[in-house]
Amino acid sequence: MSTLDGRTGDVRVVDLDETGWLLDAGLPVPAERIAEHFAEVLTPPDGTTDIVVYVHGWKTRPRSALTAAGRLAGLVGAQYARYGDLYPRLRAGGFAPWTVLVRWPSQEGYRVTRDRAHSIGRVPDGHAARVVGQLLGYLDGLRGDPAAAPVLATRGGQALHLVGHSFGCRFLCEAVQWAADEAGGRSLGWSRPAPPGRPFTVDSMLLFQMAAPRDAFETTFTALPGAPLSGPVVATYAERDWATGFWHRLAEKRRGIGAQGIGTAPRPVSSVRMRGVDEAYPHDVLDHWFVSVDAGGVFVDGRGPSGAHSDHLRAESAHLLLSLADHCRP
């Protein structure tokens, strides 16, 4: 699917059912056809340097999810076109991103959707971990050969960035955490001995307004430090995010990461203010295991009881993603 109208970018879509199983035109894909299906629909364009996998959050309809992913891709393109000099490594090695949207059923009530975000990201509860694992493993398998793709000459392959919003952040954390398991590592391909210069890891994980308790990284996603992540886990928060503030406290008895930032984690948490579109993020600002980004001055718009929970589609967000992509280059 394409939505090229000057405001959005090209997006390829992967659909999952309530159990996390892969769908094709609304029908389950047989297990023996998963790799074939990926080969049919998930072939990055020639010269792709960065792959962005986006997972939406709660109460997001399929069309809205596509619009959001396309909007983010468009913002990234516009930011890079206008302020490309802020990303010298991308300029030097070339930058041609490609976005994959993972859609999952998130229309039901809070607790049902919250629990589904966990269950379909786990093994053996659901299938999403294996499906997403094979997806990411397949993308890793397509990481370009520098000898065949000059644009990748400074890299061992395409960079891989995971981006989630709201409950989609829990979904991603479960899937990546599962990858830390021995069996998961084999499925993903990230734990295989990698050829020199070709790391099989995620280069960054950016979590917009995560709907999870502030201690989730210390109490729930405890395996992340051992997961195939070669870059930071970055989570934004904003005071006007009422969905993860007031409403999250009612449901979970405590405010969420999206309202107040990461609380505790297995490794030290660094804090930084979300910067303007023309203000660079120095390498040492983002070079940490966990980075909590105060977006309270940027994510301010929103109607209804969720407040600014879905106000993450901003140029400043694209700037943050581009900065992570730039700093993951050697």
Side-chain angles (χ1 to χ4, degrees), residues 119-281:
S119 66
I120 67 176
R122 290 175 180 153
V123 175
D125 305 57
H127 300 288
R130 294 193 182 279
V131 172
V132 173
Q134 292 186 53
L135 167 66
L136 298 179
Y138 179 77
L139 295 180
D140 256 336
L142 289 181
R143 292 190 174 192
D145 181 350
V151 71
L152 301 178
T154 62
R155 292 283 293 163
Q158 292 153 348
L160 182 60
H161 311 284
L162 303 184
V163 180
H165 173 241
S166 185
F167 278 141
C169 300
R170 295 201 194 207
F171 182 113
L172 277 176
C173 286
E174 287 287 5
V176 174
Q177 180 168 264
W178 173 77
D181 178 79
E182 183 179 2
R186 285 198 299 270
S187 177
L188 291 176
W190 290 332
S191 295
R192 296 198 309 265
R198 294 193 66 178
F200 289 89
T201 57
V202 175
D203 294 282
S204 70
M205 187 155 70
L206 179 53
L207 308 174
F208 289 116
Q209 304 309 109
M210 185 171 182
R214 299 189 66 208
D215 62 352
F217 293 114
E218 186 170 54
T219 61
T220 304
F221 306 117
T222 56
L224 277 181
L229 284 164
S230 61
V233 175
V234 179
T236 65
Y237 68 97
E239 182 180 2
R240 289 182 60 80
D241 181 348
W242 299 329
T244 61
F246 176 77
W247 296 108
H248 191 278
R249 184 174 64 177
L250 287 183
E252 306 277 359
K253 309 306 180 186
R254 46 193 166 170
R255 287 186 172 89
I257 290 174
Q260 293 191 324
I262 302 172
T264 55
R267 304 291 176 89
V269 179
S270 177
S271 298
V272 60
R273 170 186 56 84
M274 177 167 268
R275 306 204 169 190
V277 295
D278 58 352
E279 184 181 2
Y281 288 92

Side-chain angles (χ1 to χ4, degrees), residues 12-327:
R12 191 58 57 89
V13 178
V14 173
D15 283 314
L16 306 177
D17 69 10
E18 290 81 359
T19 69
W21 196 258
L22 183 67
L23 299 176
D24 181 12
L27 299 176
V29 177
E32 63 273 14
R33 284 205 63 248
I34 287 178
E36 179 183 349
H37 183 72
F38 285 157
E40 292 171 355
V41 303
L42 291 178
T43 301
D46 291 342
T48 297
T49 61
D50 293 70
I51 298 169
V52 178
V53 177
Y54 182 87
V55 181
H56 65 82
W58 188 33
K59 296 290 186 183
T60 304
R61 298 185 182 278
R63 185 66 193 178
S64 297
L66 178 60
T67 299
R71 177 64 175 154
L72 181 61
L75 288 167
V76 167
Q79 174 69 15
Y80 185 69
R82 185 173 184 183
Y83 295 106
D85 289 343
L86 292 175
Y87 321 106
R89 296 171 186 82
L90 299 186
R91 282 287 204 208
F95 181 63
W98 187 63
T99 301
V100 175
L101 165 66
V102 178
R103 294 193 299 204
W104 58 289
S106 66
Q107 287 294 301
E108 298 185 63
Y110 178 92
R111 295 185 185 280
V112 171
T113 305
R114 178 200 62 189
D115 294 344
R116 180 175 294 158
H118 286 278
S119 66
I120 67 176
R122 290 175 180 153
V123 175
D125 305 57
H127 300 288
R130 294 193 182 279
V131 172
V132 173
Q134 292 186 53
L135 167 66
L136 298 179
Y138 179 77
L139 295 180
D140 256 336
L142 289 181
R143 292 190 174 192
D145 181 350
V151 71
L152 301 178
T154 62
R155 292 283 293 163
Q158 292 153 348
L160 182 60
H161 311 284
L162 303 184
V163 180
H165 173 241
S166 185
F167 278 141
C169 300
R170 295 201 194 207
F171 182 113
L172 277 176
C173 286
E174 287 287 5
V176 174
Q177 180 168 264
W178 173 77
D181 178 79
E182 183 179 2
R186 285 198 299 270
S187 177
L188 291 176
W190 290 332
S191 295
R192 296 198 309 265
R198 294 193 66 178
F200 289 89
T201 57
V202 175
D203 294 282
S204 70
M205 187 155 70
L206 179 53
L207 308 174
F208 289 116
Q209 304 309 109
M210 185 171 182
R214 299 189 66 208
D215 62 352
F217 293 114
E218 186 170 54
T219 61
T220 304
F221 306 117
T222 56
L224 277 181
L229 284 164
S230 61
V233 175
V234 179
T236 65
Y237 68 97
E239 182 180 2
R240 289 182 60 80
D241 181 348
W242 299 329
T244 61
F246 176 77
W247 296 108
H248 191 278
R249 184 174 64 177
L250 287 183
E252 306 277 359
K253 309 306 180 186
R254 46 193 166 170
R255 287 186 172 89
I257 290 174
Q260 293 191 324
I262 302 172
T264 55
R267 304 291 176 89
V269 179
S270 177
S271 298
V272 60
R273 170 186 56 84
M274 177 167 268
R275 306 204 169 190
V277 295
D278 58 352
E279 184 181 2
Y281 288 92
H283 184 271
D284 60 357
V285 168
L286 298 176
D287 189 21
H288 302 276
W289 267 96
F290 295 92
V291 182
S292 196
V293 179
D294 182 357
V298 179
F299 301 167
V300 295
D301 291 341
R303 299 177 181 177
S306 64
H309 181 61
S310 296
D311 193 29
H312 63 293
L313 298 175
R314 295 277 194 162
E316 290 85 352
S317 301
H319 175 37
L320 179 57
L321 179 56
L322 280 163
S323 299
L324 289 167
D326 186 66
H327 290 314

